[in-house]
Amino acid sequence: QVQLVESGGGLVQAGGSLRLSCAASGRTFSSLGMGWFRQAPGKEREFVAAIRRSGGSTLYADSVKGRFTISRDNAKNTVYLQMNSLKPEDTAVYYCAADPPPYSDSDYRYNYWGQGTQVTVSS
C-alpha cells in the first residue's frame, strides 16, 4: 500500500504561482511513477503531469505545458507541482497519484491516490 498526502493548495490571483507537494509513504518512493491530475466542478478528472521513477522524463497536458513543472525528490519521498502563470481555468481539486507502469497520462493506470488539495484562481 502507498499513502499519498497533498499539500500546498490555496487561493491565488490570476498570474500568480503555487507549489503543490505530495508526500508518499508505504513503499520505496523511487520505485513509483507519479502523476498529478485535477478535477474541476462538473467536469471529469483530467491529467496534468507525470514523472518517471528516476525523474528523468516528464509528461504534461497541453493546457499546462510551459506553465507547470513536475519534479520529485526521492530522498524526501515527495513529488512537486510548481504552477506558474495560473489562470482561472486552473481552478480544481488537484490529486497526486502513484504507481503507473512506468508513468502515464491515463488515470485508470494509477493504483494509489491522495485525498486532493483545492486550488482556486481568482480573476
Side-chain angles (χ1 to χ4, degrees):
Q1 287 288 341
V2 176
Q3 292 77 45
L4 302 172
V5 179
E6 301 99 333
S7 61
L11 173 65
V12 63
Q13 288 188 332
S17 299
L18 281 175
R19 188 177 80 155
L20 306 183
S21 300
C22 173
S25 61
R27 187 168 148 184
T28 303
F29 183 70
S30 58
S31 71
L32 300 170
M34 301 296 296
W36 287 96
F37 290 78
R38 66 187 182 186
Q39 187 167 21
K43 295 187 177 181
E44 294 187 353
R45 185 165 57 191
E46 66 174 359
F47 169 73
V48 175
I51 188 167
R52 292 183 73 113
R53 292 173 291 181
S54 65
S57 295
T58 56
L59 188 63
Y60 294 95
D62 288 342
S63 60
V64 306
K65 203 171 293 183
R67 300 188 298 123
F68 291 11
T69 302
I70 188 171
S71 62
R72 65 189 295 158
D73 186 336
N74 286 348
K76 294 183 178 180
N77 294 348
T78 301
V79 63
Y80 304 97
L81 185 68
Q82 178 66 44
M83 306 185 294
N84 299 328
S85 301
L86 282 162
K87 305 175 181 180
E89 51 263 44
D90 294 318
T91 296
V93 177
Y94 283 71
Y95 297 92
C96 172
D99 199 25
Y103 69 157
S104 175
D105 60 358
S106 299
D107 59 358
Y108 69 88
R109 300 190 65 156
Y110 286 80
N111 295 317
Y112 304 102
W113 293 83
Q115 81 290 349
T117 186
Q118 176 70 47
V119 171
T120 303
V121 184
S122 63
S123 57

